[in-house]
Amino acid sequence: MVGARTYPLWQDLVLREDLPKEALKTVIGVLCTPATTRDGFDDQADRRREETLKAALPARASAKRLRGQLLVHADEKTLAALAADGTVTNPDLPAILRHRQVWAGLISALARHPGQVEAAIALLPRLPDYEVERVVRDWDLDRHARTKGTPPAPPLPQELYDAVWQPAVDSCGLL
């Protein structure tokens, strides 16, 4: 268990170019592990951890190797959250997909940004057939638990909706 107040220190460590490879894996592991306390999950501390992880994913091309290492070690939930807020983008997909399969949450998160809808749609054929529907069904997972003041998910892009449902319609021969 890592204290939430120490996340900025972990961030400083992960950004050091001279950090030994063995230590880097530990630091990345800390930044990718959900924050917990003795009583269970700590939402506030986990937000700080996610903010630290976002800060550790610099968009500078000079940090491409470090960014790739962080992307490889982050879990699916974290990657989807980072894609939803625009930190993880289309250029990050090769690094992510070298080490894991496509999942519905990643496609949905990418498609929340107009410039990435095409990239999200291009990933649909890589999903197992039984997962494709989840891209649309799970678009706004927080709709029932949203707190007052939290903005709703953006509207589902029509292109994504069509790309998900058109193959099903075609296979049924309805149109």
Side-chain angles (χ1 to χ4, degrees), residues 79-150:
L79 288 170
L82 291 170
D85 75 15
T87 304
V88 169
T89 60
N90 186 26
D92 296 316
L93 292 177
I96 294 168
L97 299 178
R98 265 194 299 274
H99 300 280
R100 63 181 76 237
Q101 298 291 319
V102 173
W103 66 100
L106 177 65
I107 294 173
S108 295
L110 285 170
R112 290 179 188 276
H113 305 280
Q116 301 189 124
V117 174
E118 267 186 53
I121 291 170
L123 293 174
L124 285 172
R126 297 177 72 172
L127 269 179
D129 290 341
Y130 62 89
E131 286 277 317
V132 174
E133 173 195 339
R134 289 189 63 197
V135 172
V136 172
R137 188 182 45 176
D138 295 348
W139 180 258
D140 189 5
L141 283 176
D142 296 331
R143 66 186 168 273
H144 301 297
R146 188 172 294 117
T147 58
K148 190 174 184 177
T150 303

Side-chain angles (χ1 to χ4, degrees), residues 2 10 23-34 49 70 73:
V2 175
W10 291 99
L24 180 63
K25 187 168 183 155
T26 301
V27 173
I28 291 171
V30 167
L31 293 177
C32 294
T33 303
R49 179 194 61 82
L70 286 166
H73 289 88

